[in-house]
Amino acid sequence: MTEIADKDKTIPFFPTHIKTEAWVTIGLMAIVLAVGVLGSLWPVGLEEPADPMNTPLHVKAHWYFVFLQEMLKYVPKNIGVVLPILGIIAIILWPFFDRRTDSLRGRRIRILLVIVVMAGIAVLTVMGMRA
């Protein structure tokens, strides 16, 4: 007897739930259409297009990105954008290419390279923070 009562309380997926989902879909599509039509009739005014190579003077990066923003001022634009990406790729791939035994000359060259890069980052950061 309980099995018959449970079957009477169930709601079939088709057509009941399918019909409900269809009405929800039609309602959402009507809302999207209404927003599109209203946006076409009363468009929002646009400002001038963004120029990724020209940063406004009032915009300043966080302190840990200031050297990158300053580098874009002093290095030609295409090189200034690609150079940090190449640096990150070099840091990631360095262990796979540097398989030789360590020599004193090689270590000095790498230490000098790191000192030059870090000094450049520090100088560009200080110049950017003062501007």
Side-chain angles (χ1 to χ4, degrees), residues 94 100 102-121:
W94 190 288
R100 66 185 190 287
D102 202 16
S103 67
L104 188 60
R105 182 172 181 253
R107 183 185 303 171
R108 285 183 182 161
I109 291 173
R110 287 192 299 271
I111 289 173
L112 182 64
L113 179 67
V114 168
I115 289 172
V116 168
V117 169
M118 293 306 292
I121 289 173

Side-chain angles (χ1 to χ4, degrees), residues 17-62:
H17 289 295
I18 296 294
K19 193 186 311 179
T20 305
E21 294 297 324
W23 282 113
V24 169
T25 304
I26 290 170
L28 287 175
M29 294 299 283
I31 291 172
V32 168
L33 184 66
V35 169
V37 168
L38 291 174
S40 296
L41 295 176
W42 295 286
V44 177
L46 298 177
E47 307 254 341
E48 66 180 69
D51 183 9
M53 293 301 188
N54 185 14
T55 305
L57 295 177
H58 66 280
V59 175
K60 187 165 248 182
H62 291 287

